[in-house]
Amino acid sequence: DAGVIQSPRHEVTEMGQEVTLRCKPISGHNSLFWYRQTMMRGLELLIYFNNNVPIDDSGMPEDRFSAKMPNASFSTLKIQPSEPRDSAVYFCASNRDSTGELFFGEGSRLTVL
Amino acid sequence: SQQGEEDPQALSIQEGENATMNCSYKTSINNLQWYRQNSGRGLVHLILIRSNEREKHSGRLRVTLDTSKKSSSLLITASRAADTASYFCARHNTDKLIFGTGTRLQVFP
């Protein structure tokens, strides 16, 4: 299995630009999670989906952030407009059963100048 | 805050020594999991312990869970330089996994 695939691995953009991060979960997994990791705040859960439906988006920092899961094999996290404080590593993770172990992608490192 | 407490924040030991990391939490859990993260990489699952279990082993890893004290510990025995990484505990509550702040482990050859 290819594992969870995230793209891009690195993104450098200017403040005000739109950023779209992409994730392909492991085939057969029905839960998908987006996390953000920074030195200051550690790993924060932003949103998670179960069977393509958003279940809890209470971790999404503000309206500039949105996430979608149009089908079982694809999810996006969008930031519009981006700000320097959004600079972080964004991880996507999936699992078959929301109670079990999570499989993480390698992350997308975002730098907003 | 989403995060629990882990200590120590950083730990440096020599190869062959044991490393112990602790994790405390505040809410009830379904299970508690430990993950490892190498620099610049994603997190990798190490071990899961359910709320009705007290101890679990996997190779050189030993995890304990004390639900009365709301704490867990991860012991790595006979450490190797390759064990150098950050280690995170994650508490499973309802449907989601909440991560602690992590312990940075450095193992010197």
Side-chain angles (χ1 to χ4, degrees):
Chain A
D1 201 321
V4 175
I5 299 172
Q6 291 188 246
S7 65
R9 289 293 314 277
H10 302 274
E11 172 110 3
V12 180
T13 191
E14 292 188 347
M15 183 173 63
Q17 297 297 306
E18 177 179 295
V19 173
T20 300
L21 307 178
R22 297 172 177 79
C23 175
K24 177 178 167 53
I26 293 173
S27 177
H29 284 188
N30 55 19
S31 294
L32 183 141
F33 303 76
W34 283 100
Y35 286 86
R36 177 172 70 176
Q37 186 176 39
T38 60
M39 287 295 293
M40 292 297 294
R41 294 187 298 272
L43 266 163
E44 303 172 280
L45 177 62
L46 301 178
I47 186 170
Y48 74 96
F49 297 82
N50 188 256
N51 293 322
N52 312 338
V53 176
I55 302 299
D56 185 343
D57 65 355
S58 59
M60 296 285 262
E62 47 197 276
D63 292 346
R64 296 184 298 105
F65 285 69
S66 62
K68 294 182 180 179
M69 191 164 186
N71 58 62
S73 58
F74 185 64
S75 177
T76 59
L77 178 68
K78 186 174 291 188
I79 308 172
Q80 166 65 16
S82 58
E83 297 182 3
R85 61 191 166 123
D86 302 330
S87 297
V89 182
Y90 291 81
F91 287 102
C92 175
S94 69
N95 64 10
R96 189 182 306 276
D97 162 4
S98 63
T99 64
E101 72 172 279
L102 275 181
F103 293 81
F104 279 79
E106 294 289 4
S108 293
R109 180 176 294 277
L110 173 65
T111 303
V112 183
L113 303 174
Chain B
S1 167
Q2 294 189 25
Q3 298 164 351
E5 300 278 335
E6 286 176 63
D7 79 274
Q9 287 190 324
L11 180 62
S12 295
I13 58 174
Q14 295 292 130
E15 256 187 334
E17 294 180 340
N18 295 342
T20 300
M21 289 158 266
N22 303 295
C23 167
S24 62
Y25 56 93
K26 296 178 181 177
T27 62
S28 62
I29 59 170
N30 299 323
N31 65 59
L32 188 138
Q33 303 177 30
W34 286 88
Y35 287 77
R36 167 192 168 128
Q37 184 180 31
N38 283 31
S39 181
R41 306 296 300 275
L43 283 78
V44 175
H45 181 264
L46 294 175
I47 196 165
L48 180 156
I49 186 165
R50 292 185 168 77
S51 58
N52 61 354
E53 297 176 312
R54 291 297 166 259
E55 188 170 311
K56 206 159 182 181
H57 296 254
S58 176
R60 293 184 296 113
L61 306 180
R62 173 180 166 244
V63 168
T64 62
L65 178 65
D66 186 336
T67 53
S68 66
K69 295 181 179 178
K70 289 187 167 57
S71 68
S72 174
S73 67
L74 170 67
L75 169 68
I76 304 175
T77 60
S79 63
R80 305 166 182 168
D83 294 329
T84 294
S86 292
Y87 292 82
F88 296 86
C89 73
R91 308 168 319 282
H92 190 273
N93 184 302
T94 58
D95 289 344
K96 52 193 181 184
L97 210 52
I98 305 300
F99 285 81
T101 51
T103 294
R104 292 185 306 280
L105 173 66
Q106 174 88 50
V107 182
F108 291 99

